[in-house]
Amino acid sequence: MAGKPARTGNAIDQTRRMLSLVTYLRERPGARIADVARAFGISEDELVADLDVLPMCGTSFRGGDLLDIDTDGERIWWHNPAALGEEAAEPLRLAADEATALLVAARAVATLPGLRESDRQALLRATAKVEAAAGEAAGASSRLSVTFESEGGVFADVDRAISERRRLWIRYYSPARDEVTEREIDPIRLVSVGHTYVEAWCRRSEARRTFRLDRVAEIKILDAPSAPPEIELRDLSEGLVQPAAEDPEVVVEVGPGGRWIAEYYPHDSADELPDGGLRITLRTPDPASLRRLALRLGRDGRIVSPPELAESARGAAREALAAYDVPADAVKVP
């Protein structure tokens, strides 16, 4: 799909992924780039970007202590895995600024909501040891604080539920239907594709669903065990929305002001129209969700088929106009 927008992930997501990547690569010398990207639910370009950062990490900036990781474009090789192993004999030494940064970060992580209590206590014990070793250098860290801006408690609860194999109850806002629903889900994995999502088995729909974390209005970790059925994890390197061939076909015509639709929605075809617009054919498992798209387009587009969806969109537009006391014949309804 042309013009696909670049994806961004928050720092917490990337840090978690890169920490996992270190362990993954150490256990799989010569791993294929395509296989690793698929395992982490990211594109190959995103994986290569992570590989560009990892060689800057290590126990110190002296030769041999940094991670020696490279790729030939197809496979990934780690040449000095012992750099992080028990055989790295020389103890780690921190400068005063490094100790301050480490202590500030550790205290910030310890305040994250939803962190498992055992992990929090382990982190606090490690922090106390660093403070004792840092001596006077630890004083500066006590005058600094950091607050993380993220999905906070939702992310932490989902992460905890996945690790403890427990079911979740959520209240979730669906913009396509403009409603909040209650669901019980068995979480499978967290993925970052522009936003952070949890892929899960939804007990309400009895199907795999993907939920965006910033749309979770309320969340609870249940005592019931998480038991999703055995399903093959999807390759998300081409994006989160991947319509299936059996999904219903929808045809949308847009003017020049609506051409952006072809940039953001996966589609089968986009044919040029004489007025500079496009006739776009796409597939979606939930055609009704496109009514909101039709309202957003306004004069810049209309749903052509299926006929029942086109009529439903026109009806939704009339209701919206009525809510503002605008006569239906005063505005052209697509």
Side-chain angles (χ1 to χ4, degrees), residues 157-224:
D157 282 346
V158 173
D159 186 48
R160 177 184 171 189
I162 291 173
S163 65
E164 297 182 1
R165 300 181 182 275
R166 293 166 64 183
R167 189 171 299 173
L168 288 167
W169 172 89
I170 61 172
R171 291 181 64 244
Y172 186 76
Y173 172 68
S174 174
R177 298 180 177 84
D178 192 25
E179 65 178 1
V180 176
T181 58
E182 295 184 8
R183 303 167 183 260
E184 288 190 9
I185 63 172
D186 292 337
I188 299 171
R189 62 172 173 167
L190 284 158
V191 294
S192 180
V193 186
H195 296 276
T196 306
Y197 301 81
V198 56
E199 190 172 13
W201 183 260
C202 178
R203 294 284 166 177
R204 171 176 169 166
S205 57
E206 286 300 314
R208 174 167 45 190
R209 293 289 184 264
T210 305
F211 302 96
R212 207 168 105 178
L213 296 197
D214 61 356
R215 291 177 179 163
V216 175
E218 189 176 354
I219 185 169
K220 296 178 184 177
I221 301 177
L222 303 178
D223 292 332

Side-chain angles (χ1 to χ4, degrees), residues 1-333:
M1 182 173 59
K4 182 166 58 179
R7 293 183 217 134
T8 58
N10 62 48
I12 295 178
D13 293 341
Q14 186 180 22
T15 301
R16 286 175 180 272
R17 182 174 71 238
M18 293 180 71
L19 288 172
S20 299
L21 190 58
V22 168
T23 302
Y24 187 95
L25 293 178
R26 187 174 182 180
E27 296 174 351
R28 297 169 177 80
R32 293 183 178 275
I33 286 181
D35 294 339
V36 178
R38 188 178 303 111
F40 281 82
I42 58 177
S43 69
E44 293 185 21
D45 287 343
E46 287 174 307
L47 174 60
V48 171
D50 285 348
L51 295 177
D52 289 339
V53 174
L54 282 178
M56 304 177 190
C57 305
T59 56
S60 79
F61 288 100
R62 291 171 298 195
D65 290 342
L66 294 176
L67 305 185
D68 188 4
I69 297 175
D70 66 20
T71 174
D72 61 3
E74 182 180 356
R75 294 179 178 271
I76 305 168
W77 299 98
W78 188 340
H79 300 294
N80 65 335
L84 294 186
E86 294 179 358
E87 54 270 45
E90 188 167 347
L92 177 64
R93 290 180 172 84
L94 297 176
D97 57 341
E98 293 174 323
T100 298
L102 180 59
L103 289 169
V104 170
R107 293 193 185 103
V109 171
T111 65
L112 284 175
L115 188 68
R116 290 187 293 273
E117 188 58 28
S118 59
D119 292 341
R120 192 189 312 277
Q121 292 303 319
L123 180 58
L124 291 175
R125 289 193 297 271
T127 302
K129 292 179 181 179
V130 174
E131 282 183 321
E136 294 182 1
S141 67
S142 64
R143 297 190 292 271
L144 300 172
S145 63
V146 172
T147 301
F148 289 113
E149 292 184 4
S150 66
E151 289 88 358
V154 175
F155 184 100
D157 282 346
V158 173
D159 186 48
R160 177 184 171 189
I162 291 173
S163 65
E164 297 182 1
R165 300 181 182 275
R166 293 166 64 183
R167 189 171 299 173
L168 288 167
W169 172 89
I170 61 172
R171 291 181 64 244
Y172 186 76
Y173 172 68
S174 174
R177 298 180 177 84
D178 192 25
E179 65 178 1
V180 176
T181 58
E182 295 184 8
R183 303 167 183 260
E184 288 190 9
I185 63 172
D186 292 337
I188 299 171
R189 62 172 173 167
L190 284 158
V191 294
S192 180
V193 186
H195 296 276
T196 306
Y197 301 81
V198 56
E199 190 172 13
W201 183 260
C202 178
R203 294 284 166 177
R204 171 176 169 166
S205 57
E206 286 300 314
R208 174 167 45 190
R209 293 289 184 264
T210 305
F211 302 96
R212 207 168 105 178
L213 296 197
D214 61 356
R215 291 177 179 163
V216 175
E218 189 176 354
I219 185 169
K220 296 178 184 177
I221 301 177
L222 303 178
D223 292 332
S226 173
E230 291 292 332
I231 54 179
E232 183 178 354
L233 294 180
R234 298 179 297 167
D235 178 6
L236 301 178
S237 60
E238 294 301 319
L240 194 67
V241 179
Q242 300 173 19
E246 63 271 15
D247 288 341
E249 182 180 271
V250 178
V251 178
V252 180
E253 288 187 354
V254 300
R259 293 179 66 95
W260 59 269
I261 296 299
E263 304 291 333
Y264 286 88
Y265 284 81
H267 54 276
D268 294 337
S269 63
D271 301 320
E272 294 285 345
L273 295 175
D275 64 352
L278 293 172
R279 182 183 178 91
I280 302 170
T281 302
L282 53 84
R283 297 182 182 276
T284 173
D286 184 14
S289 66
L290 295 182
R291 285 181 301 181
R292 288 177 61 86
L293 174 62
L295 292 175
R296 180 180 178 186
L297 285 169
R299 292 176 175 273
D300 287 324
R302 67 189 183 96
I303 294 175
V304 177
S305 67
E308 60 273 17
L309 179 59
E311 179 56 37
S312 175
R314 285 192 289 269
R318 295 189 190 99
E319 291 177 5
L321 293 174
Y324 289 94
D325 295 325
V326 178
D329 57 0
V331 179
K332 181 181 178 182
V333 179

